[in-house]
Structure formats: structure tokens, C-alpha cells
Amino acid sequence: MYIRDFIQLTTSAVRSHRMRSFLTALGIAVGIGSVVLLTSLGEGLHRFMLAEFTQFGTNLIGINPGRVTTGGISGALISNIRPLSIEDAQALARIPQVVDVISVVQGNASVESGKKQRRTTIYGIDSAAPEVFKLKVAAGRFLPDDPPRAARAFAVLGSKVREELFGTGQVLGKRIRIGSERYRVIGSMESKGQMLGFDLDDTVWIPTAKALAMFNRESLMEIDVLYKEGSSADEVSEQIKKILVARHGSEDFTITTQEKMLEILGKILNILTLAVGGLGGISLLVGGVGILTIMTIAVNERTNEIGLLRALGSEKNQILGIFLGEAVILAAIGGFAGLVLGVGGAWLLELIVPALPTHTSWTYIIAAELLAAVIGLLAGVLPARRAAALNPVDALRGE
Amino acid sequence: MIRLQHIERFFQVGEEKVHALRDVDFSAAKGEYIAIMGPSGSGKSTLLNIVGLLDRPDGGTYELDNIMTTTLNDKQQADVRRHKIGFVFQFFHLVPRLTAEQNVELPLVLAGVEKAERKGRVQETLQAFGIGDRARHRPDQLSGGQRQRVAIARATIMKPTVILADEPTGNLDRASGNDVIEIIEDLNSRGITLIMVTHDPELGDRAKRRIKMVDGRIEEDIGKQI
């Protein structure tokens, strides 16, 4: 039999029951549509999250005080953690691959200017912060590279704080009060937007040593190390570890490389996408059961026809092929409709809710289409095999 | 040439084993016109199905045009059926969703004949059976007689050597029944072997050779040539 004739013969059966074929294909369409739509959302989220995290650059290594372990004994019992100090940060700056080191302290305080007052996030930070965090200065300059213990009381305002306190007016040289101390504003930053709910614009940047004193802390909250492009993150973190162990006597800190973090994040997000794709897969499965049902009915209804085809000289394999072909055509039509539904739905969703990131990945589209065809095949196999195995005499008799 | 020797066929009906054919010997020369008659359950349809390779005997041998069919596998039997045997059924067995034309075309499609060649052959055959103007009608738009003509056209389009007819007029009124019989007899007069199962004695008497079956045995064989 020619392929063209085969397709014509199988489509004629699908066409002869329009409503039934439509509903069966619809089951698959809903399945494929939801797989495509849900994975589009998952992929969109994936990309969105990665973009959020990489906006600070990827050559970053973070060091936090304390050791993240699961020893079973509370750290409070034998707390021999030494604070991370500004001197530790300075020591790390001597590693050859390291470009910049910044020490970070963060806290909350109220900022006053004249009669206006605002409670905001205060970052104690070094002069290198704009390079490391990829921040841009809008006016004036960032904090100067003062010796840490003799830092002057300068402050740089995030765009939102500047707006709230000074409106559109001049800010450079203005005096503000943070906590109980007076600072002079030497610059303001460009808007950076939110990162996972933290508003980076609603901040005031001051020297680290000043912040330590203000919040009455001994230890830095974090040291961030920016290393040269192309250097190995593992190698750099190994050197950091060596230096800090030498200074502290033991490993009482945690090193997190951005690379590792992104890798873990990527893994988590992939699993998330896979999980929502799996949810869509369930409806695809239901669609497959629909095909199985309809094909079983079709074989029962067309027992006579099967007997006739055998009498006209069809081989068992031809009968098998005809019924398998019908199942696959139903699945393929449904699959295509589902693709339109899913891609269109994702596009529409992005149009209506721009905040919801969607990204339709070809990998998932192709996987879903293949899955539809395979489900069609699987759902068709049982009824088609039954059709092929029918005894022609019995099949012709069944009226 | 058809030669069946020592054919046995059993059926399991519930607990009971039914002996449908008991040591049947049967031969037919090319071009013969044979009517098989007998009460229902006598095994006449079973014999026809075995001759048509739709059913396999449990014992004995069957030779068709010098091919020992009993040793062929399913695929080879399908091939023999396709090229040598044409069936005409009591209930026509037309595919309801296909037009008359497409129904007649079906054996050619299954055999993998080129489309260009098919069209000509189908038109020719439909014209020959007087249903050329019904080519694009579906079976439910045709009368009983017309349906059986389409079925006969389908049975002959592969130019078989044998036509097997199982009660071909059983579902038709007298006028269209006669019509159909004349068409089938006309085919026989052109050299196609015709084996017809019927329980209508009037119809059976038209055949040159008449076989009567009772209880799975051939009881009477009148007008045998060889």
C-alpha cells in the first residue's frame, strides 16, 4: 500500500466521525496545551530568577561568618566562631586573582533631612561596591577609598531615598542624620530596581566601619570577593579558605561561590519546570486514555470492515497499521492544536500580565509533540492489535 | 484448480466440540459453476471459508492453482486471497464511509496499485456493472441491488480466478436477486470459477454442479466433471 493511500484511508475514518474525533483530539490538545503553557511559565521563571541573580555579575564569591553544617549540636553551645573583620577583608585583597574585596554590613535605621524622615536599609560598604555589584552613580561620586578605621562620615543615597527626602532638588553636599550621627551626602545612585523583593533603591550607602559602629556589631555580615574573569572559582575560594583558616585558627566561615549558587538555583528551577510540566503531563495522559477508549469503540464498531479487509487480502500488519495510524492522526491533530493553544496562551498571558515572565522553550515543545505521538501510538496499540488478531470469519459474521 | 483432501474442521462451542467438516474431499476445475446447498449448520459456509482462505482447516490439504495453501503463512495466504479469490457476501459488506468508487478501489489500494492505473480500472468496472452513474454515492444512498453490484465489482476488480458467493441474493428482493445472479453467471461464462452457497433450491438448480452437505459431509455431488 502506498503511504498516500494509507493516510487517505486512515483520515477518512477520522473524518467520518467529526464530532467524536474532535473531542478525542481535544483531550490531547488540552494536555499538550497545558504542558507547553506550564513549561513556558517555568522556563520564564527560570530565566527571570537567573537574570535577577546574575545582575551582580558572576565572578563573585561570598564569605559569611559561621559554618553551615548539620552536626546535630546547636552552635550556641560551643560558640567559638570568630567575627569576620575588616582586616580579614584586607588580607583577602592580597590574593593575586582578586580584583576587589568589599565588606558588607546591613541594617535598618531612620534617615533624617530637615523635617523629613524615612526608615530605610543602611549598607555599610567599601568604595569598590559599584564595580562589584554593578551599580551606577547618578550624581556626585561613590564613597571614597578611605582607610577603614578613619572613614569620613559620607553617605550615598539610593534613588528612592533621594526622591523621598529631597524630591528633585540638589542633594550633593547636603547634611543628613542617620541614627544619631550626621553624614554629608556626596552622591546618589541610579535606580537598580528590586531583587527578589529587596528594594535596592530604598537604601543609603555608608562606610563599613561607620555601619559597624552604628549597629554595634563586631562582625561583618559578609565579605564579597570579585575575582578576575577567567580565573577558577574553586582555586580562588581555596586560597580564601587558606588565608582565613590561618587568621581564625579554624574554618568558622562559609564560602559561597556565585557559580555554585547559580548551578544549584538552575537545578532547582529545572526541577520546578519539570514538575509543572509533569502536571500538564497528567492531562496528556487523560487525553491518551480518551484515544484508547475511542479506538476500542472504533474496533468494535468496525469488526465487519476488518473482516472485509482481510477477505480482500489485507495482511494482519496492514490492519494493525490502519488502526495505529488513526490513533496517531488523532494524537497529532490534538498535539498541533495543543501547541497553538499553549504557545498562544503563553503569548496572551505575557500580553495581559507583563509581570509574569513566560518563555516557550523549543525543547519542551518538541518533547510534548513527540510525547503526543507516542501516547497516540501506545493508546492505539492495544485496540489495533485486537483488530489485527480478529478471526476474519468471526469478524465478517459479527453484524 | 481447487483440490481439498481429507479436510477436517472443529469448533469449540462452549463445552461442546462441534465437528463442522468431516473428512471432506472436494475438487473444482477451472470455470466450474458449483452450488453448495444444505441445511444450516451442515458446514457449507465453513467449506466456503476454507476455500477462500479465510479459515484454516484442522486437518487435510488444500491446493489452489498448484499452490499448497495449507503450508502458507498469514502473509502469503493474504497474497493468494488478494490475487485469486473474490468474495460476494449476503450483507454486501461495503465500507459505509466510502463511496461506491472507493469501495471498488479498495482491493487495488491494499495491493498497492498506482493511482493513475486504479482510476481507469475502477471506472471501467463500474460501467461494466451498470453503476457508472452511482460512482460517487455512498452505500446508504444505493438500493440493495446496486450495493450488491458494487460488491461484485469489488470482488472482480483484481481479476480473480475464483468467485465465492455466500447467499448473494439472501438480502435482496426477487427482481434484484435475479439481476445479481445473472451478473455472477455472466462472470462464470467468461471462465471464472463460481462457487455459491445457498439454501434456495431454485437458485441451486441453475448451477451445473450441485453439492449437498449434511452434518459436515458431502452427501451428494451431482454433475461432477472430474
Side-chain angles (χ1 to χ4, degrees):
Chain A
M1 200 169 10
Y2 284 97
I3 293 281
R4 199 183 48 214
D5 292 330
F6 172 75
I7 291 170
Q8 203 172 7
L9 197 63
T10 46
T11 48
S12 83
V14 171
R15 272 198 317 241
S16 71
H17 290 284
R18 276 168 212 280
M19 194 58 180
R20 193 161 97 178
S21 300
F22 167 74
L23 291 174
T24 312
L26 186 67
I28 291 290
V30 169
I32 293 287
S34 49
V35 168
V36 171
L37 184 63
L38 287 171
T39 53
S40 293
L41 280 171
E43 273 293 300
L45 186 69
H46 192 155
R47 298 200 162 211
F48 174 75
M49 293 284 272
L50 283 188
E52 288 280 284
F53 276 92
T54 49
Q55 65 180 328
F56 297 117
T58 47
N59 301 342
L60 271 183
I61 296 176
I63 302 133
N64 299 84
R67 181 105 182 97
V68 181
T69 51
T70 46
I73 301 166
S74 165
L77 286 175
I78 39 166
S79 182
N80 55 357
I81 296 170
R82 292 179 182 224
L84 273 181
S85 64
I86 292 177
E87 286 72 27
D88 287 334
Q90 285 173 323
L92 294 180
R94 288 193 284 270
I95 298 172
Q97 290 98 320
V98 168
V99 180
D100 274 312
V101 177
I102 53 169
S103 35
V104 184
V105 180
Q106 184 218 356
N108 243 293
S110 75
V111 181
E112 283 174 50
S113 164
K115 284 190 173 127
K116 285 188 180 163
Q117 187 180 359
R118 182 176 180 81
R119 221 178 156 75
T120 183
T121 310
I122 311 293
Y123 274 100
I125 212 126
D126 292 313
S127 57
E131 289 92 76
V132 176
F133 288 158
K134 307 231 155 71
L135 303 167
K136 284 203 181 72
V137 179
R141 57 195 171 93
F142 201 69
L143 300 171
D145 192 9
D146 284 342
R149 295 295 173 196
R152 288 166 284 175
F154 290 151
V156 176
L157 305 183
S159 62
K160 192 164 187 179
V161 175
R162 184 194 59 105
E163 221 168 90
E164 293 292 331
L165 291 183
F166 298 100
T168 51
Q170 177 63 253
V171 292
L172 298 182
K174 290 269 165 54
R175 301 223 167 247
I176 55 173
R177 182 178 288 277
I178 305 175
S180 54
E181 285 191 64
R182 285 157 58 83
Y183 287 80
R184 185 146 64 93
V185 178
I186 59 165
S188 67
M189 307 302 290
E190 267 183 24
S191 175
K192 176 85 174 170
Q194 293 200 344
M195 200 276 280
L196 302 174
F198 291 102
D199 192 347
L200 290 174
D201 298 330
D202 197 2
T203 50
V204 174
W205 313 86
I206 59 173
T208 314
K210 289 277 181 198
L212 278 177
M214 180 189 299
F215 298 124
N216 198 19
R217 286 182 64 103
E218 265 187 274
S219 170
L220 299 172
M221 294 174 95
E222 185 173 300
I223 297 175
D224 287 311
V225 175
L226 180 73
Y227 58 89
K228 268 187 218 139
E229 195 86 46
S231 320
S232 148
D234 288 339
E235 210 173 281
V236 177
S237 61
E238 202 50 47
Q239 291 190 51
I240 292 170
K241 192 164 154 188
K242 213 181 285 173
I243 290 171
L244 288 181
V245 167
R247 291 177 61 86
H248 289 201
S250 67
E251 198 183 331
D252 54 359
F253 50 88
T254 305
I255 299 176
T256 317
T257 66
Q258 184 87 345
E259 225 177 63
K260 197 125 223 143
M261 210 166 80
L262 288 174
E263 200 179 292
I264 292 167
L265 188 72
K267 267 185 200 160
I268 293 170
L269 291 168
N270 272 339
I271 288 170
L272 187 82
T273 307
L274 222 62
V276 293
L279 284 178
I282 292 173
S283 49
L284 196 54
L285 199 72
V286 174
V289 173
I291 289 188
L292 179 67
T293 311
I294 284 302
M295 289 315 295
T296 308
I297 292 172
V299 169
N300 278 338
E301 279 179 351
R302 278 154 58 195
T303 310
N304 268 205
E305 185 185 324
I306 294 162
L308 171 78
L309 289 174
R310 298 277 280 141
L312 295 181
S314 293
E315 297 154 21
K316 283 183 179 177
N317 283 342
Q318 278 182 320
I319 305 283
L320 188 78
I322 285 169
F323 282 91
L324 267 186
E326 274 184 47
V328 171
I329 283 177
L330 282 174
I333 292 172
F336 184 75
L339 195 63
V340 174
L341 226 66
V343 174
W347 176 80
L348 209 68
L349 204 64
E350 193 155 16
L351 208 71
I352 296 167
V353 195
L356 207 62
T358 64
H359 182 265
T360 310
S361 152
W362 276 105
T363 325
Y364 281 104
I365 288 179
I366 291 166
E369 283 300 296
L370 284 179
L371 195 63
V374 168
I375 280 184
L377 266 179
L378 285 179
V381 160
L382 237 65
R385 281 182 56 150
R386 212 167 60 82
L390 278 176
N391 177 336
V393 175
D394 294 339
L396 279 167
R397 202 181 297 133
E399 184 71 5
Chain B
M1 241 279 291
I2 291 168
R3 182 180 292 139
L4 285 82
Q5 284 176 311
H6 310 300
I7 293 293
E8 300 276 347
R9 186 74 176 101
F10 307 101
F11 290 114
Q12 195 74 35
V13 181
E15 293 282 289
E16 219 177 325
K17 199 172 190 185
V18 177
H19 211 153
L21 293 177
R22 300 166 193 260
D23 194 21
V24 169
D25 286 324
F26 168 71
S27 319
K30 188 176 178 339
E32 266 199 283
Y33 180 4
I34 304 168
I36 303 176
M37 293 185 289
S40 50
S42 60
K44 54 189 194 302
S45 288
T46 306
L47 181 62
L48 198 76
N49 288 332
I50 286 177
V51 172
L53 292 172
L54 283 179
D55 202 1
R56 277 174 184 268
D58 294 309
T61 56
Y62 170 22
E63 204 179 318
L64 171 66
D65 291 348
N66 298 322
I67 303 163
M68 186 52 81
T69 64
T70 26
T71 56
L72 299 179
N73 64 23
D74 177 74
K75 198 178 156 80
Q76 292 163 326
Q77 281 202 350
D79 199 55
V80 172
R81 207 155 55 222
R82 180 183 300 161
H83 292 287
K84 293 197 176 292
I85 298 165
F87 287 94
V88 178
F89 305 96
Q90 180 180 356
F91 295 105
F92 322 131
H93 287 314
L94 298 177
V95 180
R97 63 173 185 280
L98 301 181
T99 62
E101 196 175 40
Q102 288 169 325
N103 266 291
V104 174
E105 196 182 13
L106 207 50
L108 299 173
V109 169
L110 292 171
V113 177
E114 284 272 13
K115 189 166 190 162
E117 192 194 331
R118 283 195 324 240
K119 285 292 161 211
R121 269 170 80 173
V122 168
Q123 284 313 319
E124 211 174 284
T125 312
L126 285 172
Q127 293 295 346
F129 288 101
I131 37 174
D133 56 334
R134 292 282 183 272
R136 294 187 188 281
H137 289 57
R138 286 179 203 284
D140 56 6
Q141 297 164 314
L142 298 173
S143 73
Q146 287 169 335
R147 288 185 209 182
Q148 196 60 301
R149 280 163 192 248
V150 173
I152 296 168
R154 184 180 62 195
T156 56
I157 194 136
M158 291 297 287
K159 302 195 183 0
T161 57
V162 187
I163 293 275
L164 302 175
D166 195 347
E167 305 276 9
T169 61
N171 226 18
L172 297 174
D173 59 69
R174 181 160 283 278
S176 28
N178 278 334
D179 228 31
V180 162
I181 284 298
E182 272 165 28
I183 291 170
I184 299 179
E185 286 176 352
D186 183 49
L187 291 171
N188 172 246
S189 69
R190 290 188 224 164
I192 298 178
T193 313
L194 172 60
I195 304 176
M196 181 165 67
V197 162
T198 180
H199 55 237
D200 180 356
E202 201 180 316
L203 205 59
D205 285 343
R206 297 174 69 130
K208 294 184 194 78
R209 181 176 163 196
R210 296 177 296 279
I211 290 174
K212 193 176 178 204
M213 291 194 72
V214 175
D215 279 344
R217 284 199 186 84
I218 293 178
E219 201 174 75
E220 224 174 57
D221 195 342
I222 301 164
K224 197 173 176 183
Q225 289 183 342
I226 39 172

